[in-house]
Amino acid sequence: MMRRRAFITLLGGAAAWPLAARAQQPAVPVVGFVSARSAEASVRSNAAFRKGLSETGYVEGQNVAVEYHWLEGQFSRLPSLMAELVHPRVAVIVTPNNAAALAAKAAITTIPIVFGVAEDPVKLGLVASLARPDGNATGINFFVGEVVAKRLGLLHDLVPKAVRIAVQVNPANATVAEITLREIPEAARALGLQVQVLNASTSREIEATFATLVRDRADALFVAPDVFFTSRRVQLATLAARHAIPATYGIREYVKVGGLMSYGDPTLRARIVSSASTPVASSKTLSLRTCRSCSRPSLNLSSISTPPRRSVSRSRPACSR
C-alpha cells in the first residue's frame, strides 16, 4: 500500500510538469504549495514532496523555489491567500485539499493547479471531464463519499445494538462536510439507524459536541474525515474513551492514539492514489489526463479486547445486510 508520502511525492512530480514548460525563463520558477494542515504536522509529506520534485530534476533552493502556505484548518484565509499567490506570479499551485483547490480554481485561470480532492472533480467543477480535464486544473479523486456507507456499516457490525448515531462534521470544511451529510442518510436508513449531526470547528466545540451526544444518549459516533479533526485526534479519542462512545474514524492515525476503529487507507490521509496522470504541458496551459485509481481501503481496530459499550436498551429489528 502506498503511504501519504507517496501521494505527496506524486504531487511533487506533477508540479514539475508546468515547471518544465517554463524552464526557458531565466527566473527560478516558484511552486505555491497550499496545505490545510500545519507545518509541524507535515514534515514527512514535505520531504516526499521535495523527493517528487527532485525525481523530475528540480531541487528546491537550486532550480526551483517552493512557497509553503499552511492553513492550519483556517479555511477563511483562502481568498486572501489566492490573491497572494498571483502576486508574485507562481508557476504552479499544488494542494491536496478540496477547499483550497476550489478557491484556486475560482480565483486563478492562468496558473496550472494540481489538486487532490475528496469528490469527483467533474461534479465539483474543477475539470470538464476525467478524460479531458482541459482548463488549468488537474488532479486526483480521493473517493471520500464512496467509503461513508462502508464505514457506517462496519460501525453497525461492531456495535449492532446501536440505534442513534452522532455524525461529527467540520462546517468550515464545507465540501467534505456536505459529502458526508449527503451520503450518511441513505446508508443510515438502510441499517435502521437514526442520525444526529454535530458541528465542530474548534477544540472547544469538540468538547461541546461530546457533551451533547452524552446528554442525548447517542450510541456511537461517526467522525467525518477532516484535517482539523485529524490534528485533534488525541482529544477525540480521549473523549470517546472517557464517555464510552464507540467511534469510527477515516484513518489509522486515530487508532494509533487510542481510537476504536478506522476504515480507509492505512496512512495519515485515508485516500492515497496509486498512480499518476499523463502530462501534456505547454508554456501557456497545462492539460493532464486525470487518473481515478486509488489505494485499497483497510480496516483498523484498536488493540483493546472489547469495544467500549454504552447501555443500549432500545429494541430494533435485525438488519438483513
Side-chain angles (χ1 to χ4, degrees):
M1 302 290 291
M2 294 181 64
R3 296 186 175 275
R4 173 177 172 79
R5 293 192 300 276
F7 168 61
I8 300 298
T9 301
L10 166 62
L11 287 186
W17 300 330
L19 296 181
R22 301 181 185 214
Q24 72 274 14
Q25 298 180 1
V28 173
V30 177
V31 176
F33 185 88
V34 181
S35 173
R37 306 172 68 198
S38 66
E40 293 76 13
S42 306
V43 174
R44 291 184 178 180
S45 58
N46 286 354
F49 180 71
R50 295 187 185 99
K51 182 174 182 284
L53 287 174
S54 66
E55 288 176 350
T56 51
Y58 290 90
V59 179
E60 185 178 1
Q62 295 184 17
N63 58 352
V64 66
V66 181
E67 289 185 0
Y68 296 96
H69 301 271
W70 311 106
L71 294 175
E72 298 182 345
Q74 300 176 31
F75 297 100
S76 61
R77 294 172 48 202
L78 280 170
S80 59
L81 174 57
M82 291 306 155
E84 292 176 14
L85 287 174
V86 178
H87 307 287
R89 187 181 182 87
V90 299
V92 58
I93 295 172
V94 179
T95 178
N97 177 262
N98 281 50
L102 289 169
K105 180 68 175 178
I108 301 167
T109 59
T110 57
I111 301 173
I113 301 166
V114 180
F115 58 76
V117 293
E119 189 177 13
D120 184 349
V122 177
K123 291 182 179 179
L124 290 176
L126 289 169
V127 297
S129 73
L130 295 177
R132 296 179 178 275
D134 296 330
N136 65 317
T138 190
I140 299 153
N141 180 1
F142 291 139
F143 299 100
V144 167
E146 283 83 347
V147 301
V148 167
K150 182 65 174 179
R151 282 183 56 198
L152 190 62
L154 289 170
L155 180 61
H156 173 262
D157 289 343
L158 194 64
V159 194
K161 293 184 179 181
V163 175
R164 187 187 300 275
I165 307 296
V167 177
Q168 187 177 61
V169 298
N170 179 6
N173 191 354
T175 303
V176 174
E178 289 170 4
I179 294 170
T180 302
L181 297 180
R182 184 184 64 220
E183 300 294 332
I184 278 285
E186 182 178 352
R189 282 194 297 270
L191 296 170
L193 302 176
Q194 301 170 16
V195 172
Q196 177 182 16
V197 177
L198 301 174
N199 295 319
S201 300
T202 67
S203 296
R204 182 172 297 180
E205 288 176 349
I206 289 176
E207 295 276 355
T209 61
F210 272 86
T212 299
L213 66 87
V214 169
R215 181 197 66 204
D216 295 343
R217 298 181 60 80
D219 300 321
L221 173 65
F222 181 105
V223 178
D226 177 75
V227 64
F228 170 68
F229 291 161
T230 300
S231 72
R232 303 303 305 169
R233 58 190 179 275
V234 173
Q235 180 187 15
L236 285 162
T238 299
L239 287 170
R242 179 185 303 164
H243 297 293
I245 301 290
T248 176
Y249 311 95
I251 59 174
R252 188 175 61 181
E253 302 307 307
Y254 288 89
V255 176
K256 290 181 177 179
V257 296
L260 176 62
M261 66 177 292
S262 70
Y263 179 76
D265 188 271
T267 58
L268 188 59
R269 193 77 176 271
R271 302 146 302 275
I272 308 299
V273 298
S274 61
S275 59
S277 306
T278 302
V280 180
S282 71
S283 60
K284 295 182 180 179
T285 62
L286 177 66
S287 178
L288 302 176
R289 190 175 301 278
T290 304
C291 176
R292 286 172 50 88
S293 62
C294 64
S295 58
R296 184 182 181 87
S298 69
L299 173 66
N300 300 282
L301 296 173
S302 172
S303 59
I304 59 177
S305 58
T306 58
R309 297 175 181 269
R310 290 183 61 81
S311 175
V312 181
S313 59
R314 307 179 186 90
S315 61
R316 63 182 299 274
C319 176
S320 57
R321 293 182 68 231

